[in-house]
Amino acid sequence: MYPRVCSSMLAPSGKAAAAAAAAASRIMAAARGRRLYSSASAAESDNIEPIRGLDLGVAHSKLLLRTVASVRASDELRAAGVAEGETRKMNMCQAVNDAMRHALATDETSVVFGEDVAFGGVFRCSVGLADDFGRERIFNTPLTEQGIAGFAIGMAAMGHTAIAEIQFADYIFPAFDQIVNEAAKYRYRSGNQFDVGGLTIRTPCSAVGHGAHYHSQSPEAFFAHVPGLKVLMPRSPIQAKGLLLAAIRDRNPTIVFEPKILYRSAVEQVPIDDYELPLSKAEILKPGADVTVVGYGSQIYALENAIQMIERDMPGVTCELIDLRTILPYDADTVAASVNKTGRLVVAHEAPRTQGFAAELAAEIQERCFLRLESPIQRVCGLFIPHPLVYERFYMPCAVRTYEAIKSSLSY
């Protein structure tokens, strides 16, 4: 199994090392260089159990609203008042850009800044904003994440809407003190006389297939431990636009982690009008009766594939898929209601398993749903190692590992 191969790689010795190396070679040969969470053709992995020809990844996802009709049918977009309006085909990068455009156009105190954002940023999320709104509102900063965060806190404290970009989530740690000890505590320590509610920090996160140690991390759990912050991670262009606008306008400092692998790969028909999606509200993407499966961000697509395999291989079983969306404060009520119905829970995220956010959710649901649980709560997460390069496929909580966790939960 994948987890056993991965665990053996941490400290191989003797026969265990040889067995792990042989198993890894077989799997890698079968995969023939393809990442199991990618959107490449399934033809390359027909002989890998339990995939057997299933089209994997975001490119084949049924969760994306790719047609105008699917937008019209969305209850959430109807509630936001934009389901019947004009849409435009956008990837997630373009949707983020569109959200910032609306924020800048409707709030003259809003500013966007960070490393290289004036020319569009390394992922081009801010392209064209400086031309349209001026370089006094869209500007570059020195290469200092602590300085970016501190400057953003100062601007927000003076009444501005500060939209700061940390170029990669892996480099947010120099800003940790400013975010945790200043931004998160500003309102509390002043007895609500002052606040930095106009602060939003955007940052690209998570695996991209070639980022290795310093361009692949998912550090959301570090900030989910901090009272005074809001933390979220969208899964798609429509979600990114609505959640980012809600974050910018929310009167609390907010961090928006954006899975960078979705910037180009996730494409939807996005309403062009201004709209917000609710923070701290999970979304049930697929109803089911036998097991609850929870994730957020790009991990949602691995969970979708795992559910497809389970429901194919176990006729009659249905899985409920929930996108948490907001990680702090998270929607425990929706998850608990689902688990009280299904009796089982599988939680997945890319960050390492040890002390990851899945542990918090598992503990909360165990307290709320203990008498209704039919099996131990399962966690499917990244391995407890630095994010690897050549072995990234073994690190990832892919569809196969999630499939095994759901199967284990159902057969307990």
Side-chain angles (χ1 to χ4, degrees), residues 3 39 74-75 87 105 120 132 154 177 211 217 228 243 245 258 260 299 315 318 370 379 399-400:
S39 57
S74 168
D75 292 337
T87 67
D132 294 341
D177 178 63
Q217 296 176 69
L243 291 173
L245 277 168
E258 299 166 1
K260 54 187 172 289
Q299 185 63 27
T318 59
F370 182 76
R379 288 179 289 160
V400 174

Side-chain angles (χ1 to χ4, degrees), residues 265-334:
S265 61
V267 179
E268 291 183 303
Q269 288 289 335
V270 180
I272 66 171
D273 293 331
D274 190 325
Y275 67 93
E276 298 176 28
L277 295 177
L279 303 181
S280 297
K281 181 62 179 174
E283 183 180 8
I284 298 175
L285 299 177
K286 178 191 173 299
D290 299 297
V291 59
T292 301
V293 183
V294 179
Y296 48 82
S298 52
Q299 185 63 27
I300 288 295
Y301 302 104
L303 303 186
E304 179 190 21
N305 292 148
I307 288 171
Q308 289 169 343
M309 292 187 286
I310 284 288
E311 294 182 349
R312 176 200 63 196
D313 295 347
M314 304 179 73
V317 168
T318 59
C319 308
E320 185 145 292
L321 176 60
I322 298 177
D323 180 2
L324 209 54
R325 300 196 292 190
T326 303
I327 299 162
L328 183 69
Y330 66 97
D331 183 3
D333 291 343
T334 294

Side-chain angles (χ1 to χ4, degrees), residues 211-234:
H213 297 342
Y214 299 124
H215 298 84
S216 303
Q217 296 176 69
S218 297
E220 67 274 4
F222 288 95
F223 299 96
H225 186 66
V226 181
L229 297 177
K230 291 193 175 182
V231 181
L232 49 143
M233 189 183 297

Side-chain angles (χ1 to χ4, degrees), residues 66-74:
R66 293 192 175 93
T67 66
V68 174
S70 62
V71 173
R72 301 279 189 265
S74 168

